[in-house]
């Protein structure tokens, strides 16, 4: 079999990673062989993406988004700056919600394939194709001189190493899965049905006032003739008040109401978010994006709803947009905020 030089490097880096000793490692390598054509695919050559890993917001700290015409489809994939980042990205991708439970199948390549195969690819023959490559993967592992670490094992590529169980739990102690931040529930009567429309958008607002309780009262006040409200209002001190259930719609974002979650931030014109408020807002957006699989470009400012308004004011002035900015400038600033603040974390993987 002919492998590219990069592919050979990948195997070495992958096996050197702590998780590279797991029983399912032959299955992962089989994925790399199949998805990258032994390193020859465009995704592998230009983007260090050896597993056809799709773009997801949770990948932001190890990857950037690139649109590629892959043989299967034109889609947004992950671009990795290095093979090391790809290997981290592979574990991170698996740590996402759709693969929850993979650790229960991490001791054996065949069981692992049966578990992740149907989620990873729509091709129903994908698991069969991977299993056919396990022998080749095992050969690559042996060639890298790590087979001596195995301890008996079985004919399914499971090396039976006693180390694995502990390693999986190490990994999972630091896996992705963002919790919903603590909120105070203070319901507004101004809500209505989404009529079956799915949530795919977050609209960011500012209240024009620093007074959280004033806004919360207004969203329940009979004098509020337009019956405006928001799902969440975040105070200057980082308190989050939820006023409308996510499953219901409310009037905050014009044409976007049915599909969106509205987040108000207490702030006067000229105010950026306070540190506490920014922390709370980031935690909330992180969880919403994960929960409803919202694309990052669908986190928008009220101006882009679209509406002639100063909203979201100067919340994002550290990121380059003020109340005088147009929708494009606000969008750029929010996307910068998402990359630099919301989805940047310390390395979540085991050391
Ligand atoms: Zn607004």
């Amino acid at each position: 079999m002919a492998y590219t030089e990069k592919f050979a490097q990948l195997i070495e880096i992958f096996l050197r990673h702590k998780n590279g000793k797991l029983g399912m490692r032959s299955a992962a390598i089989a994925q790399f062989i199949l998805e990258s054509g032994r390193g020859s695919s465009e995704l592998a050559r230009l983007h260090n993406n050896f597993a056809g890993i799709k773009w997801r917001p949770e990948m932001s700290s190890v990857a950037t988004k690139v649109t590629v015409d892959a043989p299967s489809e034109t889609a947004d994939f992950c671009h990795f700056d290095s093979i090391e980042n790809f290997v981290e990205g592979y574990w991170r991708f698996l740590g996402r919600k759709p693969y929850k439970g993979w650790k229960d199948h991490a001791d054996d390549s065949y069981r692992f394939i049966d578990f992740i195969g149907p989620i990873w690819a729509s091709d129903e023959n994908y698991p069969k194709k991977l299993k056919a490559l396990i022998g080749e993967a095992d050969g690559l592992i042996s060639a890298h001189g790590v087979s001596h670490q195995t301890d008996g094992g079985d004919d399914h590529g499971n090396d039976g190493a006693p180390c694995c169980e502990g390693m999986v739990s190490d990994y999972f102690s630091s896996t992705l899965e963002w919790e919903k931040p603590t909120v105070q529930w203070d319901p507004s009567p101004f809500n209505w049905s989404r009529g079956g429309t799915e949530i795919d958008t977050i609209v960011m607002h500012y209240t024009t006032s620093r007074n959280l309780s004033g806004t919360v009262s207004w969203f329940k006040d009979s004098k509020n003739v337009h019956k405006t409200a928001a799902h969440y209002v975040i105070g200057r001190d980082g308190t989050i008040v939820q006023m409308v259930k996510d499953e219901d719609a409310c009037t905050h974002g014009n044409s976007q109401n049915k599909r969106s979650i509205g987040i108000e931030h207490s702030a006067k014109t000229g105010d950026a978010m306070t540190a506490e408020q920014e922390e709370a807002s980031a935690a909330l957006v992180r969880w919403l994006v994960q929960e409803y699989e919202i694309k990052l470009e669908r986190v928008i400012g009220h101006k882009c709803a679209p509406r002639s308004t100063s909203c979201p004011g100067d919340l994002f002035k550290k990121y380059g947009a003020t109340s005088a900015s147009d929708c494009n400038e606000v969008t750029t600033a929010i996307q910068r905020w998402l990359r630099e603040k919301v989805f940047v974390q310390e390395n979540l993987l085991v050391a």
Side-chain angles (χ1 to χ4, degrees):
M1 295 295 173
Y3 303 100
T4 63
E5 202 182 312
K6 259 191 182 182
F7 193 86
Q9 287 167 17
L10 163 67
I11 300 304
E12 205 174 305
I13 292 165
F14 177 75
L15 293 174
R16 216 190 296 140
H17 191 282
K18 197 171 176 187
N19 290 350
K21 294 185 182 64
L22 294 173
M24 45 59 75
R25 65 188 179 184
S26 315
I29 292 172
Q31 284 189 285
F32 306 158
I33 293 170
L34 179 66
E35 297 271 1
S36 77
R38 299 180 177 80
S40 66
S41 75
E42 183 184 332
L43 270 175
R45 285 182 294 110
L46 303 181
H47 305 294
N48 292 313
N49 186 339
F50 297 88
I53 292 179
K54 292 271 178 62
W55 171 253
R56 293 290 181 269
E58 298 97 308
M59 303 299 289
S60 300
S61 61
V62 283
T64 51
K65 181 171 79 174
V66 62
T67 305
V68 174
D69 279 312
S72 51
E73 61 187 320
T74 299
D76 292 337
F77 288 91
C78 286
H79 166 90
F80 299 97
D81 278 341
S82 64
I83 299 173
E84 283 83 358
N85 277 355
F86 165 74
V87 170
E88 287 193 8
Y90 178 79
W91 296 116
R92 170 161 298 203
F93 194 76
L94 270 186
R96 294 167 50 256
K97 215 174 177 182
Y99 296 99
K100 198 173 178 170
W102 75 267
K103 62 174 173 174
D104 300 332
H105 305 81
D107 60 339
D108 180 274
S109 286
Y110 285 77
R111 291 208 308 127
F112 178 77
I113 289 170
D114 286 335
F115 177 71
I116 65 135
I119 316 170
W120 196 282
S122 53
D123 174 6
E124 60 177 32
N125 288 318
Y126 187 68
K128 210 156 120 188
K129 289 176 186 169
L130 289 181
K131 286 175 186 176
L133 293 166
I134 292 289
E136 185 181 336
D138 284 340
L140 280 168
I141 294 171
S142 306
H144 278 79
V146 294
S147 58
H148 65 274
Q149 292 179 359
T150 66
D151 166 28
D154 58 28
D155 58 357
H156 285 170
N158 177 6
D159 62 22
C163 50
C164 300
E165 208 170 306
M167 288 188 312
V168 178
S169 52
D170 280 357
Y171 176 79
F172 267 85
S173 65
S174 58
T175 194
L176 288 169
E177 254 311 288
W178 289 301
E179 299 282 335
K180 182 175 182 175
T182 306
V183 300
Q184 294 174 16
W185 173 240
D186 195 342
S188 161
F190 308 140
N191 64 77
W192 35 282
S193 164
R194 291 188 187 274
T197 303
E198 279 193 32
I199 298 165
D200 70 351
T201 299
I202 297 171
V203 182
M204 303 294 272
H205 301 271
Y206 85 128
T207 59
T208 71
S209 151
R210 290 180 183 167
N211 183 350
L212 173 63
S213 60
T215 302
V216 170
S217 301
W218 179 245
F219 287 161
K220 300 190 284 187
D221 196 323
S222 57
K223 291 195 286 293
N224 178 353
V225 290
H226 296 296
K227 299 187 189 308
T228 53
H231 293 83
Y232 300 93
V233 189
I234 305 180
R236 304 291 290 165
D237 67 353
T239 301
I240 307 176
V241 179
Q242 181 166 12
M243 302 195 68
V244 175
K245 288 187 206 158
D246 293 349
E247 65 201 67
D248 293 325
C250 61
T251 302
H252 65 89
N254 322 311
S255 61
Q256 306 299 303
N257 286 332
K258 266 196 171 177
R259 63 194 288 193
S260 70
I261 296 279
I263 306 178
E264 284 283 0
H265 299 77
S266 300
K268 283 179 28 169
T269 304
D271 285 345
M273 283 191 256
T274 66
E276 294 82 3
Q277 191 174 33
E278 192 171 0
E279 213 51 63
S281 184
L284 180 59
V285 167
R286 221 176 265 139
W287 177 77
L288 287 168
V289 162
Q290 170 189 267
E291 186 67 11
Y292 301 109
E293 299 191 332
I294 295 168
K295 292 185 174 138
L296 289 197
E297 53 264 38
R298 292 305 304 162
V299 182
I300 64 174
H302 187 180
K303 260 172 213 190
C304 306
R307 184 77 158 195
S308 172
T309 168
S310 65
C311 188
D314 296 279
L315 293 180
F316 299 99
K317 69 179 173 187
K318 278 193 283 180
Y319 302 90
T322 68
S323 43
S325 298
D326 62 15
C327 164
N328 285 336
E329 288 162 347
V330 169
T331 299
T332 304
I334 291 179
Q335 294 305 312
R336 240 190 92 190
W337 177 68
L338 292 167
R339 280 197 314 275
E340 293 176 16
K341 176 78 189 170
V342 183
F343 287 100
V344 177
Q345 319 233 310
E346 74 283 16
N347 184 358
L348 293 168
L349 300 173
V350 294

